[in-house]
Amino acid sequence: MRNNSWLGILLLLAACGPGEDATVRPIPINRKPIYFDVKGFLDSQVVFLNRRQPIVEKQVRLRDGKVETTCVAKTDWSKELQIFYQMDINKPALRGAYDVKNVNQPAATADLYQRKAGVKAAVRELLVASAINYPATINATVIQDNSLFYSEKKLSLRADAQGIKSYSVEGVQKLVMFDTVRYSVRTRVVR
């Protein structure tokens, strides 16, 4: 009886395994981005800026409309630029989710990535204007919307051949049954 039960278990396990027609597809680890590589650009800037540690000047617009300015001497750039990683549209789930258009910009070539109709993705659009060997500006509109919460952020980075020179975040948040909150932060990298 014992041999029959082992035989039954082995047959059951064999029946659960992949059949002859099962296809094994390798998952590419380093798939080349099909859109502008925001993550790669930010990763390189984090390393560069952490090494250099430039002073930054920040302007924050408060709720009452007043602007507060401060200078920061030491910055953890991986935290400082974290919000801009939201602009990355090169996630596997977003392949083919954006239309790409060439847009005329003064003194630069630009690509506009617009979310296709019916696609549920946070980035509505991404505009990348490039100079010769670097992105001169990267702008994105990021939206989160559900039955309890609405948030819209306009993210903007400006760079030159030496790297990021300024960035800003302007946004609006609305929580059901609460006031709308508008905010803006502008930062300049002091060379």
Side-chain angles (χ1 to χ4, degrees), residues 31-41 87-101 111-116 119 121 123-128 130 135 138:
R31 180 180 280 182
K32 184 179 178 187
I34 61 171
Y35 307 120
F36 176 77
D37 189 9
V38 171
K39 182 183 180 313
F41 174 71
M87 295 191 296
D88 182 18
I89 58 174
N90 276 308
K91 298 171 178 119
L94 298 177
R95 288 183 82 75
Y98 289 85
D99 288 323
V100 183
K101 297 177 186 172
D111 290 319
L112 176 63
Y113 304 90
Q114 291 182 311
R115 183 178 62 196
K116 292 180 179 177
V119 171
V123 178
R124 181 173 52 197
E125 65 182 27
L126 174 69
L127 177 68
V128 181
S130 298
I138 305 173

Side-chain angles (χ1 to χ4, degrees), residues 41 45 131 133-137 158-166 191:
F41 174 71
Q45 289 300 297
N133 292 322
Y134 58 89
T137 61
R158 302 215 183 294
D160 60 18
Q162 285 77 44
I164 293 174
K165 62 181 182 179
S166 67
R191 304 264 178 219

